[in-house]
């Protein structure tokens, strides 16, 4: 009898645990299903902070972030009163050296120098083409997360690009919450308007309504990592539709659509316990980010970089985007690296392929822009010129072998 009672208690405890787990699961599903805004907040995770590692209050302290000699803080007005904040990093070499002559007290002169070298002063024509790379990081945290600082520093130092590292609405020290797909797209286009020195009022509904075309000597590239790749792809698509297509698009660990991303991302594993529940949940997600539907209409050269060991967004999604773009005969290439999700830039082959792609975008543009290199005595071909201008001392040895 005592053994029977003991066995009964075990069964009761087991059933209680199972019921508790089931009820908890049902409650989580119900809450998420009835709260699309909660789903958006989880997708962007703009609210996530790691104490002691990243702090919005420190994002403007360039000295503490160890980028002060060659960087400045920038602030851009987006729509709906949103203010975006980020960094402008100079390319390594003569430009960064020239910037070092300005003291901290001469901020206006320093800003003028930065604006001049990036091509934001219309009346001052650039003597030589410059590469400008707009970088969008993935979801969660902000631009001050250590590997993101390393990444943008890497891009500025070793690709000879001016790098704009921005936090979109709700992220870091940028205002405006919560972020939405349409909201971050307005932010992306507002950054383009800023770069082209176009006036954008805070209550503007269409960021590109009165936008000016960038200087012909600005080789504008858009780089997006993870969720940032979806923002980058749609931004490039919007610019192409408006006749101001960027020089190049770089997608780092991209996904075909938000639906496809949620179908494989570890964060959604709890909902995939019951496939029908997962399907219903995905249908209610407002953020679609359908890169696969628009990549065929992006007319600029495209580079896809994906890690073969990516545990969050499988490399198969990058391959699918490649297949789709190729079916439209787009200028696209893909590089698969021995990396995971956010460390592609640490692979030994990453720099070579990135510099090769940037050089390719310059050569492609130079064919369609007369007198790209002016009438100077330097009669070297565009490819040779790119080897000199777009490679730092570290990368030049690689380039000159090509």
């Amino acid at each position: 009898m005592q053994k029977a009672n003991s066995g009964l208690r075990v069964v009761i405890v087991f059933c209680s645990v199972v019921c508790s787990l089931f009820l908890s699961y049902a409650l989580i599903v119900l809450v998420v299903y009835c709260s699309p805004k909660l789903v958006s907040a989880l997708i962007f995770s703009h609210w996530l902070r790691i104490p002691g590692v990243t702090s919005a209050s420190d994002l403007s302290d360039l000295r503490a972030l160890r980028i002060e000699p060659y960087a400045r803080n920038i602030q851009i007005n987006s729509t709906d009163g949103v203010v975006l904040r980020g960094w402008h990093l100079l390319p390594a070499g003569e430009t960064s050296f020239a910037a070092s002559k300005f003291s901290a007290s001469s901020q206006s002169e320093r800003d003028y120098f930065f604006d001049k070298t990036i091509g934001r002063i219309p009346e001052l024509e650039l003597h030589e083409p410059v590469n400008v790379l707009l970088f969008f990081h993935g979801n969660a945290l902000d631009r001050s997360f250590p590997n993101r600082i390393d990444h943008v520093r890497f891009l500025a130092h070793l690709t000879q690009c001016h790098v704009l590292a921005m936090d979109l609405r709700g992220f870091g020290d940028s205002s405006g919450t919560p972020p939405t797909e349409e909201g971050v797209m307005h932010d992306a286009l507002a950054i383009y308007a800023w770069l082209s020195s176009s006036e954008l009022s805070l209550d503007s509904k269409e960021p590109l309504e009165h936008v000016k075309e960038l200087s012909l000597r600005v080789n504008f590239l858009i780089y997006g990592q993870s969720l940032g790749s979806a923002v980058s792809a749609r931004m490039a698509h919007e610019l192409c539709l408006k006749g101001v297509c960027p020089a190049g698009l770089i997608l780092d660990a991209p996904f075909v659509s938000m639906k496809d991303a949620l179908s494989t991302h570890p964060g959604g594993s709890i909902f995939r316990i019951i496939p029908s529940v997962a399907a219903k949940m995905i249908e209610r997600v407002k953020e679609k980010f359908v890169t696969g539907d628009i990549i065929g209409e992006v007319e600029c050269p495209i580079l896809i970089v994906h890690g073969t060991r990516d545990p969050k967004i499988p490399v198969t999604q990058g391959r699918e985007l490649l297949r789709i773009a190729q079916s439209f005969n787009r200028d696209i290439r893909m590089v698969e690296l021995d990396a995971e999700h956010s460390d592609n830039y640490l692979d030994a082959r990453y720099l070579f392929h990135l510099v090769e792609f940037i050089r390719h975008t310059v050569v492609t543009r130079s064919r369609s822009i007369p007198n790209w290199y002016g009438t100077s005595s330097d009669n070297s071909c565009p490819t040779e010129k790119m080897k000199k201008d777009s490679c730092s001392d570290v990368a030049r040895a690689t380039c000159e072998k090509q």
Side-chain angles (χ1 to χ4, degrees), residues 284-296:
R284 288 183 59 81
V285 175
K286 288 186 176 182
E287 280 64 44
K288 304 302 181 184
F289 286 117
V290 286
T291 303
D293 290 352
I294 61 176
I295 196 169

Side-chain angles (χ1 to χ4, degrees), residues 307-347:
T308 55
R309 296 182 288 109
D310 193 327
K312 297 180 180 178
I313 302 176
V315 68
T316 52
Q317 298 218 26
R319 292 170 184 165
E320 178 61 13
L321 288 174
L322 174 69
R323 185 196 66 78
I324 295 171
Q326 287 178 333
S327 70
F328 285 87
N329 296 316
R330 291 304 175 198
D331 182 356
I332 187 170
R333 60 187 72 179
M334 179 175 179
V335 180
E336 297 184 12
L337 302 174
D338 182 23
E340 297 188 359
H341 184 63
S342 57
D343 60 351
N344 283 312
Y345 71 99
L346 297 178
D347 185 278

Side-chain angles (χ1 to χ4, degrees), residues 56-117:
S57 62
D58 297 328
L59 296 188
S60 62
D61 189 349
L62 301 181
R63 177 169 297 187
L65 295 166
R66 301 176 184 275
I67 57 175
E68 184 178 45
Y70 50 87
R72 65 164 170 169
N73 292 304
I74 54 177
Q75 179 174 302
I76 299 174
N77 294 332
S78 184
T79 57
D80 307 321
V82 172
V83 178
L84 309 175
R85 294 181 174 86
W87 306 317
H88 170 194
L89 288 78
L90 295 174
E94 293 183 5
T95 305
S96 292
F97 176 76
S100 66
K101 70 180 181 181
F102 299 103
S103 65
S105 60
S106 57
Q107 189 59 49
S108 60
E109 294 179 1
R110 195 168 188 266
D111 282 339
Y112 181 84
F113 174 82
F114 273 72
D115 285 338
K116 180 179 69 174
T117 58

Side-chain angles (χ1 to χ4, degrees), residues 52 61 82 90 114 138 149 161 178 188 199 221 225 227 249 258 269 271 274 295 343 351 354 375 381:
D61 189 349
V82 172
L90 295 174
F114 273 72
I149 295 180
C161 288
E199 294 294 330
L221 302 110
Q225 197 277 327
L227 182 60
L249 172 65
M258 183 55 66
S269 58
F271 303 109
I274 304 177
I295 196 169
D343 60 351
L351 177 61
L354 186 60
T375 56
C381 69

Side-chain angles (χ1 to χ4, degrees), residues 62-63 94 102 111 124-125 159 173 188 198 223 234 243 251 261 275 302 328 368 378 391:
L62 301 181
R63 177 169 297 187
E94 293 183 5
F102 299 103
D111 282 339
L124 293 180
E125 183 61 32
T159 66
D173 53 355
S198 303
Y223 189 120
R234 188 171 167 191
L251 304 177
I302 305 170
F328 285 87
S368 60
D378 187 352
C391 302

Side-chain angles (χ1 to χ4, degrees), residues 110-323:
R110 195 168 188 266
D111 282 339
Y112 181 84
F113 174 82
F114 273 72
D115 285 338
K116 180 179 69 174
T117 58
I118 202 175
R120 286 197 69 234
I121 303 178
E123 60 270 21
L124 293 180
E125 183 61 32
L126 294 167
H127 295 299
E128 295 181 344
V130 298
N131 297 323
V132 178
L133 187 148
L134 172 59
F135 180 84
F136 292 119
H137 61 70
N139 73 332
L141 306 173
D142 53 50
R143 66 187 186 278
S144 72
F145 195 63
N147 82 311
R148 290 173 181 168
I149 295 180
D150 288 344
H151 197 170
V152 296
R153 186 189 290 119
F154 179 102
L155 292 171
H157 285 184
L158 299 179
T159 66
Q160 284 296 282
C161 288
H162 288 259
V163 177
L164 301 177
M166 303 299 301
D167 272 324
L168 299 174
R169 63 180 63 200
F171 287 89
D173 53 355
S174 294
S175 66
T177 54
T180 62
E181 180 175 358
E182 292 306 314
V184 297
M185 282 315 306
H186 275 234
D187 296 346
L189 298 178
I191 296 169
Y192 182 90
W194 174 87
L195 185 59
S196 64
S197 299
S198 303
E199 294 294 330
L200 180 67
S201 62
L202 288 176
D203 59 352
S204 173
K205 300 301 180 185
E206 294 294 335
L208 290 185
E209 187 176 2
H210 304 293
V211 76
K212 301 173 185 175
E213 189 170 3
L214 291 178
S215 166
L216 294 178
R217 293 178 180 270
V218 173
N219 195 52
F220 179 57
L221 302 110
I222 311 174
Y223 189 120
Q225 197 277 327
S226 190
L227 182 60
S229 72
V231 178
S232 298
R234 188 171 167 191
M235 179 184 184
H237 181 246
E238 293 286 341
L239 292 176
C240 288
L241 292 179
K242 295 178 184 295
V244 286
C245 203
L249 172 65
I250 304 166
L251 304 177
D252 186 331
F255 48 86
V256 178
S257 68
M258 183 55 66
K259 176 181 179 180
D260 292 281
L262 293 176
S263 298
T264 58
H265 196 283
S269 58
I270 186 174
F271 303 109
R272 293 195 294 272
I273 295 175
I274 304 177
S276 58
V277 170
K280 293 275 187 187
M281 299 290 293
I282 291 174
E283 287 177 5
R284 288 183 59 81
V285 175
K286 288 186 176 182
E287 280 64 44
K288 304 302 181 184
F289 286 117
V290 286
T291 303
D293 290 352
I294 61 176
I295 196 169
E297 297 177 357
V298 175
E299 299 172 359
C300 64
I302 305 170
L303 171 66
I304 296 176
V305 180
H306 217 126
T308 55
R309 296 182 288 109
D310 193 327
K312 297 180 180 178
I313 302 176
V315 68
T316 52
Q317 298 218 26
R319 292 170 184 165
E320 178 61 13
L321 288 174
L322 174 69
R323 185 196 66 78

